[in-house]
Structures are given as C-alpha cells and as structure tokens.
Amino acid sequence: MAKKQTAGRDNLGDFAPKFAELNDDVLFGEVWSREKELSARDRSMITCASLMSQGLFPQLEAHMKMAKQNGITKDEMVELITHLAFYAGWPKAWSAFGLAKKIYADK
C-alpha cells in the first residue's frame, strides 16, 4: 500500500489548501492506493518516465526517492533512463542520471 502523503499540506497547506488537499487525498490517496489496478511500483516507473520526459527534475527527484522505496532497483532506473534518452532527449537523460546517482548511491 502506498504511504500516506502529507507533502501538499506540509508545503502548501496554508497557501493553497485545496491544492494541498487534492494532492494528498486524491492523487496520493485515492489514485496511488489503487494497487489492485496498478501497483505502486509500476506507478513509480510510469511517473518517473513521465517526469523525465517532461524535464520536470525537481518532481523527478522526489519520485525517484519514492520509486526506490517502492522497489525500483538502481539497475531498473538506469535502464529506464537509458531507454528514455532516445525518446525524451539526451540532455534530459544526463540530468536524470545525476539525480539517480545521488538517490541510488550506496551509503
């Protein structure tokens, strides 16, 4: 089951309360919890692919962290980025690899 998200309320609750509610309760509550239809692991792969393709690297970083928690391995993330380099763009792949190296670094 997807972890309960509070990022919307934590970051925008006072400034944009409805957006924060939709983020936490609808997107990360109702949509991400539909694991019978699509696992959190698969949703993470799809989301990372979409964010990389659009060049949305601040959001990609957060979702790569979630992907790692949802069981996406370093090798799988490397393969995802390598594959998308040909469809989304080489510079985007370089940027995504910078994030992945940081997130998947052995500590």
Side-chain angles (χ1 to χ4, degrees):
M1 179 113 227
K3 182 180 135 189
K4 172 73 174 149
Q5 287 291 322
T6 61
R9 285 181 177 88
D10 294 347
N11 293 296
L12 293 173
D14 293 336
F15 188 74
K18 186 61 178 180
F19 183 87
E21 174 191 337
L22 292 169
N23 183 81
D24 295 350
D25 299 342
V26 178
L27 174 58
F28 286 102
E30 294 176 28
V31 175
W32 274 79
S33 68
R34 295 170 44 87
E35 291 194 28
K36 184 175 141 193
E37 292 77 12
L38 199 60
S39 71
R41 183 185 189 288
D42 290 346
R43 288 179 195 278
S44 282
M45 290 282 280
I46 293 165
T47 302
C48 286
S50 176
L51 293 171
M52 184 195 141
S53 296
Q54 297 176 76
L56 300 173
F57 297 107
Q59 293 82 7
L60 178 59
E61 181 173 11
H63 277 278
M64 271 191 191
K65 290 174 183 174
M66 282 179 55
K68 185 177 178 183
Q69 292 172 352
N70 287 333
I72 305 301
T73 67
K74 176 191 83 78
D75 291 340
E76 289 170 322
M77 186 60 68
V78 166
E79 190 62 25
L80 180 146
I81 296 167
T82 301
H83 183 79
L84 285 175
F86 292 93
Y87 294 94
W90 211 255
K92 289 176 184 174
W94 273 100
S95 295
F97 275 127
L99 295 175
K101 279 180 69 175
K102 181 170 71 171
I103 291 164
Y104 285 92
D106 295 326
K107 292 185 181 184

